[in-house]
Amino acid sequence: MKILKKISLCLLTVTIGTSLSACNYNNNGTNKDSIKNIKIGVTLYRQDDAFISAITKELEDVAKEKEGDSNYKITINVVDAKGSLTNQNSQVERFVSQNYDVICVNIVDRTAASMMIDKAKSANIPMIFFNREPVEEDMERWDKLYYVGAKAEQSGEIQGKIILDAYKSNRSLVDKNGDGKIQYVVLEGEPGHQDTLIRTEHCIKPLIENGIELEKLSDEIGNWQYAQATTKMNQWIKEFGDKIEVVFSNNDEMALGALEALNNDNTIKRHPLVVGIDGIPESLTQVKNGAMIGTAINDYKYQAKVIFNMAYLLSTNGDISSVEGLEKGKYVMADYSEVTKDNVDIYMKSK
């Protein structure tokens, strides 16, 4: 009997030991005791910006997916500067004091990056800027500064091409008053933002190159925001009425704001063509139903993956030069894609 008790006790000891050992492993077989922490701080100029919100959500999703396949616990801490550079500098300072591995910045003022760069540099914490590109002089301040964005000139040219193709297909669809030229307005983003300047310049380029006469009725700053665009569009409707044939918008949020003004007005007989940039879900729906003639997809999923891949490599002493599309050792610029009613279903499914 004593012998049986000893055998049972031994078996129980082995079983408990095995269970405890098994508890120290993740589903992927990684020993929990070997898990290391990666802390990535993300500060946004405005979290309520639709595109910025989309790219941030994707960044968090990519991090969760990677965490399940690695021996790292990955923390993504997202904070909102609410349009205040003072807030953002304080947020960067907090990330530095808490010894984050990488700091990602969607900067409030692209001309005022020096203070946060110096803080990160003094602590040797790499910094990845995205969507809002600091001026070149600031990007050259340190060799551990990176930028992920998209080709702004390409987005503007896609807008122009969408209108050009419509003009070639059915001139009266664009030149609604039949005077042989296109009257247009431009809803511009934020003053000083590189995308505002470049998109505004390049949206008419394909039309000019094809010899189409243009007449700019007005351009107004909408700061990327829906409500401001609605206000500007209401003013234009009162001032120009049916003269407006095309609305070029530097982003989709403002394009949607312009649509609200147009849809709520009963004085215009011929609605202008509205074209945006970004490819947010709401704009794709408007392209599908014909309210918007098109947009240029700003691939937030690709950019989020690049940002995370960079941050992960920098946190784990990986080879940053292995990042696909890296230019000059610090820039990744994504391509835009043209979206019209003809191909919008493809992009709606992918979203």
Side-chain angles (χ1 to χ4, degrees):
M1 192 68 175
K2 289 183 179 179
I3 295 172
L4 287 173
K5 284 183 178 179
K6 286 182 179 180
I7 292 172
S8 298
L9 184 59
C10 289
L11 288 172
L12 181 61
T13 303
V14 172
T15 302
I16 292 173
T18 305
S19 298
L20 289 173
S21 178
C23 287
N24 281 333
Y25 287 85
N26 284 333
N27 293 334
N28 63 2
T30 301
N31 189 330
K32 288 183 178 180
D33 293 336
S34 67
I35 288 180
K36 300 176 183 178
N37 291 318
I38 291 177
K39 294 194 299 182
I40 301 170
V42 182
T43 169
L44 308 176
Y45 100 102
R46 288 178 63 97
Q47 197 162 13
D48 61 0
D49 182 293
F51 180 78
I52 297 304
S53 177
I55 199 171
T56 305
K57 175 64 167 58
E58 186 67 20
L59 181 62
E60 292 171 328
D61 289 346
V62 173
K64 287 178 184 176
E65 184 179 342
K66 183 66 175 179
E67 186 178 60
D69 296 330
S70 70
N71 62 336
Y72 289 96
K73 176 177 173 51
I74 302 170
T75 300
I76 303 280
N77 185 5
V78 179
V79 293
D80 185 359
K82 299 184 183 300
S84 166
L85 183 64
T86 301
N87 287 347
Q88 194 160 63
N89 279 323
S90 296
Q91 289 163 352
V92 169
E93 189 171 4
R94 196 174 306 119
F95 289 145
V96 169
S97 68
Q98 294 173 355
N99 200 30
Y100 273 65
D101 296 286
V102 177
I103 300 172
C104 301
V105 181
N106 173 229
I107 195 165
V108 170
D109 183 349
R110 65 182 296 259
T111 66
S114 58
M115 185 178 294
M116 61 183 72
I117 288 172
D118 290 344
K119 288 175 182 176
K121 183 178 179 180
S122 65
N124 197 33
I125 299 175
M127 185 169 275
I128 303 170
F129 293 93
F130 64 97
N131 182 254
R132 299 162 70 85
E133 182 182 354
V135 295
E136 187 177 357
E137 303 90 85
D138 283 335
M139 287 298 294
E140 296 300 323
R141 291 174 73 91
W142 190 29
D143 62 358
K144 291 185 180 179
L145 301 176
Y146 305 91
Y147 177 73
V148 178
K151 301 172 183 175
E153 68 280 358
Q154 187 182 57
S155 64
E157 288 171 9
I158 285 174
Q159 284 189 312
K161 181 179 179 299
I162 289 171
I163 300 302
L164 175 64
D165 289 345
Y167 185 86
K168 288 180 175 179
S169 175
N170 181 1
R171 182 172 297 190
S172 62
L173 178 67
V174 185
D175 183 13
K176 298 176 186 295
N177 59 15
D179 67 352
K181 55 187 175 183
I182 299 173
Q183 282 83 17
Y184 71 96
V185 294
V186 184
L187 283 164
E188 298 185 6
E190 183 181 342
H193 192 294
Q194 76 279 3
D195 284 6
T196 295
L197 303 172
I198 296 171
R199 290 173 181 179
T200 299
E201 176 187 351
H202 284 261
C203 69
I204 58 174
K205 190 175 179 181
L207 296 160
I208 293 172
E209 289 175 345
N210 279 268
I212 296 172
E213 190 175 350
L214 302 171
E215 179 185 353
K216 182 170 73 174
L217 299 176
S218 182
D219 56 355
E220 292 282 354
I221 294 293
N223 286 302
W224 311 117
Q225 295 180 35
Y226 184 106
Q228 290 191 33
T230 302
T231 300
K232 302 298 182 187
M233 195 70 228
N234 279 324
Q235 293 171 353
W236 285 336
I237 290 170
K238 290 177 182 178
E239 185 175 356
F240 302 113
D242 281 323
K243 290 182 181 179
I244 306 170
E245 295 173 331
V246 175
V247 179
F248 289 105
S249 177
N250 280 178
N251 76 338
D252 282 345
E253 276 281 293
M254 294 190 297
L256 294 170
L259 280 182
E260 179 175 316
L262 291 165
N263 291 336
N264 291 335
D265 181 84
N266 56 10
T267 64
I268 292 184
K269 298 176 182 178
R270 300 185 298 265
H271 275 208
L273 302 180
V274 179
V275 58
I277 294 172
D278 278 341
I280 61 176
E282 294 87 346
S283 70
L284 297 183
T285 299
Q286 297 302 329
V287 171
K288 183 174 176 63
N289 67 27
M292 283 175 63
I293 191 170
T295 186
I297 288 279
N298 193 352
D299 194 344
Y300 68 86
K301 289 189 175 184
Y302 169 75
Q303 290 174 57
K305 288 177 182 176
V306 171
I307 293 166
F308 177 77
N309 188 26
M310 278 184 165
Y312 185 83
L313 289 170
L314 291 166
S315 301
T316 58
N317 296 316
D319 181 11
I320 196 70
S321 66
S322 67
V323 173
E324 181 183 354
L326 189 68
E327 300 175 5
K328 299 180 181 179
K330 60 176 57 189
Y331 294 93
V332 176
M333 307 298 282
D335 283 311
Y336 285 85
S337 300
E338 178 182 326
V339 183
T340 63
K341 198 168 185 177
D342 293 337
N343 66 348
V344 68
D345 285 337
I346 298 171
Y347 292 97
M348 292 184 78
K349 287 177 183 177
S350 68
K351 293 287 181 185

